[in-house]
């Protein structure tokens, strides 16, 4: 489902979803297509669901016109013992 469709179907709601398709624009992922897992009524429940998210799953409010995810590259030193 396109994000614009999600916004129309669930106005001003939190939704938990899995990302199906996105494109990258200036080190940001702009989500194009999602699969809805759950519609959430309040912010407290949204935080609980957010803590249960697996990789590729997010909780977001439909008041936002786009879903934009910052790409963060972890740079560090790994030690092996």
């Amino acid at each position: 489902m396109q994000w614009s469709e999600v916004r129309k179907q669930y106005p001003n709601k939190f939704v938990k979803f899995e990302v199906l398709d996105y494109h990258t624009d200036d080190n940001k992922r702009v989500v194009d297509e999602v699969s809805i897992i759950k519609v959430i009524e309040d912010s407290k429940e949204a935080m609980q669901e957010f803590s249960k998210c697996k990789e590729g799953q997010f909780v977001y409010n439909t008041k936002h016109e786009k879903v934009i995810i910052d790409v963060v590259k972890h740079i560090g030193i790994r030690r092996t013992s």
Side-chain angles (χ1 to χ4, degrees):
M1 179 180 279
Q2 297 292 318
W3 182 248
S4 58
E5 296 170 22
V6 175
R7 292 184 73 223
K8 288 177 187 173
Q9 192 167 350
Y10 307 107
N12 206 26
K13 300 279 185 188
F14 286 97
V15 291
K16 182 176 183 178
F17 61 88
E18 185 168 355
V19 176
L20 298 179
D21 191 28
Y22 66 88
H23 66 275
T24 304
D25 188 19
D26 295 326
N27 287 331
K28 295 180 187 293
R29 290 186 182 161
V30 181
V31 175
D32 299 315
E33 191 169 350
V34 300
S35 175
I36 299 296
I37 298 169
K38 184 176 185 177
V39 178
I40 303 166
E41 295 298 325
D42 62 50
S43 59
K44 184 177 178 179
E45 184 183 357
M47 287 303 296
Q48 291 171 346
E49 286 298 322
F50 178 75
S51 69
K52 298 176 192 175
C53 284
K54 297 177 183 174
E55 188 174 342
Q57 294 180 348
F58 298 91
V59 174
Y60 214 68
N61 195 303
T62 58
K63 70 181 178 182
H64 300 286
E65 189 173 327
K66 294 181 180 181
V67 179
I68 300 174
I69 302 166
D70 288 328
V71 177
V72 178
K73 295 182 181 182
H74 295 282
I75 298 173
I77 299 172
R78 254 191 194 174
R79 290 187 169 179
T80 57
S81 2

